[in-house]
Amino acid sequence: MKTKSLIVICFLRLEDLPPAVSMLKSLSQKYSIEYIGVNSKSDYYCNLFGEQVHFHNIIPYECSEKVGIKGKIKKSIYRRKMRLWYKGSMKLIKKYLSSSEAVWVLHEYTIMNIGYRILKIPYYLTMYELHGDLFCRNNNLLKKCIQKAEKVITPEYTRAAIVQACAGLKNMPKIIPNKPYEYSDMEIELRDNQYSEIANKIHSEGRKIILYAGIFLRERKLETIIQAVDKMREKYEMVLIGQNSKYLEELLQQYPFIRYWGFIKAPKHLSIIKLADIGVLTYVSDTGSINPVFCAPNKIWEYAKYGIPMLCNDIPGLKFTVEYNNFGCCCNINSIEDITNKIEYINLHYKMMNRNAADYYNSVNVMDLVDQVIEKRM
C-alpha cells in the first residue's frame, strides 16, 4: 500500500495523450494518485492502473469532446463546460492538497483552463507542446503559470531551451522524454490480435510493413509517402492506425490499397506498432507554428522500443534525433523519388538501424528522471 500521494490533473482525454498515460503509470509506481481529468474513469484505464490511481471525472465522456476548437461547439456550451471544469478541478485540488506531496499538471492546456487560481498553490507543469501564447510579447497566463511552477518539464532539449528563453526562466526545464512506460506483455497485448496474423501473412510474402501511427491532420502530408509505397507494393505494405478524421477518410478513398487497422488506446497500440518494419514520422508546419518543426514525438520512442527504423521528413526535431543517431532517414516530403530512395536505403542498412534504435531507446531511464524531479523537492 502506497503511503505517499500526488494530485495529477489533465484537461485532455487520456486516450488522446499516450505520453500522459505513461507518465501516470510511472508516477503510480511510487505514489497513490488522485487523478483529476475528463473521460478517464473507464474500465480500460481502471484495469490498467488498478488501485494506485483514483479517477475523478470533471466532465463525462459525452461532454468531453475537444472543447474550444473553433466552430465545433457553441460558445454558451463551451463556457458552461469551462465553468464546470474550473470549479470542479479546484474543489478537488483543495480537498486533497493537504495530504499530497505535490500537484502535477499534465499539458499546458490544463493549466490555461484552470486559470489564475492555480498560481496560489505549488505545482509541477509538464508541457507537451510549444503553445502559441508562449511567443506573445505580453505577460499572459501561460507565461505566468510557467514562471510560478516549482518544476517545469518538457520532453526534449530544444523545447526546454525555447521555453526557458520565452518564459524568462532562470533554469532550464527538466527534460523527461515521451518514452513509453515499461508495460508488461499483458498490459500491451490485445485479446484477439487479428492484425498479427495479417502481418505474418505479409511477411511470409517477403514484404515489409511501413506503418504510420498517430493523428490524421493535413499537416502530416502523408500523400507522397503513400504514393511512394504504391510504386513499391511488391516489397512494401502501407498500414495506418489512429483515430478517424476527414483527412483519413480522404486518404482511404484516394488510395484504396492502404490498410487501416483502426484506433487502439495506449498502451495496447504498442501491440500493433511492434508489427511494423519501418515507422513513419511526418510533421509539416503550414501555419507558421514552430511546434511541428521542433517536435518531440512519442512515436520515436515507441518505434525505437522494437528497434524499428524510421522514415521522417527533414526538420530539426527529427533530423537531430532519428537521422543523427542513425536509426532512420529524413527525406524530402515533396519528392516521391527521394522517399523511395530513402526507403531502400533503410532496407539496405536495416540491421544497423535496428540496433541503433534499440540502443537509443535504452539510453534513457524515465523512472530515474521522474524520481529526480520529485525527490529534490522533499
Side-chain angles (χ1 to χ4, degrees):
M1 187 71 177
K2 297 174 176 62
T3 55
K4 295 181 179 180
S5 177
L6 290 177
I7 298 171
V8 179
I9 181 168
C10 185
F11 180 69
L12 300 183
R13 300 185 300 184
L14 282 175
E15 64 188 60
D16 297 327
L17 201 59
V21 178
S22 290
M23 177 62 78
L24 192 58
K25 188 71 172 177
S26 297
L27 293 172
S28 69
Q29 300 311 294
K30 293 190 176 181
Y31 296 89
S32 174
I33 307 292
E34 300 296 339
Y35 182 82
I36 303 170
V38 296
N39 182 29
S40 304
K41 194 174 182 179
S42 64
D43 290 342
Y44 182 85
Y45 288 118
C46 287
N47 290 334
L48 177 64
F49 293 105
E51 296 181 356
Q52 296 97 314
V53 180
H54 309 114
F55 289 99
H56 305 274
N57 277 344
I58 302 299
I59 305 175
Y61 180 81
E62 62 272 12
C63 298
S64 64
E65 299 304 318
K66 294 181 179 177
V67 294
I69 297 179
K70 188 176 181 181
K72 294 291 183 182
I73 300 176
K74 293 180 180 179
K75 287 183 178 180
S76 59
I77 299 176
Y78 171 75
R79 289 170 181 162
R80 179 175 62 84
K81 290 177 180 177
M82 289 305 94
R83 285 195 297 269
L84 180 65
W85 166 259
Y86 170 75
K87 291 180 179 179
S89 58
M90 288 307 300
K91 182 178 180 180
L92 285 167
I93 288 173
K94 290 178 180 178
K95 178 179 179 180
Y96 294 106
L97 185 60
S98 61
S99 59
S100 299
E101 301 289 341
V103 176
W104 197 309
V105 181
L106 299 180
H107 211 290
E108 55 279 2
Y109 285 146
T110 303
I111 210 156
M112 293 174 73
N113 282 291
I114 294 176
Y116 284 101
R117 285 197 178 183
I118 191 70
L119 302 178
K120 297 180 180 180
I121 61 174
Y123 59 90
Y124 302 148
L125 171 61
T126 294
M127 298 183 65
Y128 289 113
E129 310 290 347
L130 292 173
H131 193 278
D133 281 7
L134 185 63
F135 306 100
C136 296
R137 290 182 177 272
N138 59 315
N139 193 17
N140 55 40
L141 172 61
L142 178 58
K143 286 186 178 180
K144 287 183 178 179
C145 290
I146 295 170
Q147 292 163 355
K148 290 289 186 180
E150 288 198 4
K151 298 284 184 181
V152 179
I153 299 97
T154 67
E156 186 267 340
Y157 178 81
T158 303
R159 287 193 171 201
I162 292 171
V163 170
Q164 181 184 17
C166 291
L169 300 179
K170 182 179 179 180
N171 299 313
M172 183 178 285
K174 185 70 177 177
I175 299 166
I176 300 180
N178 286 332
K179 180 180 178 181
Y181 176 79
E182 296 298 331
Y183 298 102
S184 68
D185 290 343
M186 185 179 296
E187 290 171 328
I188 291 174
E189 289 302 327
L190 292 169
R191 181 172 297 177
D192 298 308
N193 193 349
Q194 58 179 311
Y195 305 113
S196 181
E197 296 180 8
I198 298 172
N200 289 337
K201 184 176 185 299
I202 293 170
H203 289 142
S204 70
E205 296 168 352
R207 294 185 298 141
K208 292 185 174 180
I209 294 172
I210 297 179
L211 175 71
Y212 171 81
I215 59 175
F216 293 96
L217 301 173
R218 296 190 188 282
E219 72 175 29
R220 299 303 165 94
K221 292 192 178 298
L222 295 171
E223 289 87 349
T224 46
I225 290 179
I226 294 170
Q227 290 165 18
V229 176
D230 188 20
K231 292 180 176 294
M232 311 169 77
R233 284 170 62 190
E234 72 284 356
K235 296 170 67 176
Y236 300 97
E237 186 84 10
M238 189 77 205
V239 176
L240 310 178
I241 63 169
Q243 293 196 50
N244 197 6
S245 72
K246 184 178 179 181
Y247 178 53
L248 172 61
E249 291 175 356
E250 291 173 1
L251 291 175
L252 295 175
Q253 184 174 9
Q254 188 172 358
Y255 307 104
F257 64 89
I258 297 172
R259 291 182 185 268
Y260 173 57
W261 288 353
F263 169 68
I264 300 161
K265 293 180 182 180
K268 290 193 180 297
H269 71 303
L270 296 173
S271 66
I272 303 299
I273 284 178
K274 72 177 186 179
L275 302 175
D277 298 290
I278 297 174
V280 172
L281 291 156
T282 58
Y283 296 84
V284 181
S285 178
D286 286 337
T287 62
S289 170
I290 71 167
N291 189 57
V293 178
F294 297 103
C295 59
N298 51 294
K299 290 298 175 291
I300 288 181
W301 296 95
E302 291 172 353
Y303 291 139
K305 177 179 176 68
Y306 300 103
I308 300 169
M310 299 163 217
L311 176 70
C312 316
N313 64 310
D314 194 356
I315 54 172
L318 299 174
K319 189 177 188 69
F320 296 110
T321 49
V322 174
E323 192 166 87
Y324 179 81
N325 291 286
N326 209 4
F327 55 87
C329 291
C330 291
C331 65
N332 179 353
I333 197 66
N334 298 311
S335 169
I336 294 176
E337 182 181 2
D338 190 51
I339 293 169
T340 56
N341 288 339
K342 294 299 170 58
I343 291 173
E344 292 290 29
Y345 183 86
I346 291 172
N347 190 44
L348 184 63
H349 299 88
Y350 197 89
K351 289 184 178 179
M352 175 193 66
M353 291 187 175
N354 171 267
R355 291 193 302 269
N356 291 343
D359 289 344
Y360 183 81
Y361 180 84
N362 293 323
S363 67
V364 172
N365 187 318
V366 170
M367 286 300 301
D368 286 349
L369 297 175
V370 170
D371 287 344
Q372 290 172 23
V373 169
I374 296 179
E375 289 174 0
K376 284 185 178 181
R377 181 180 186 267
M378 299 175 185

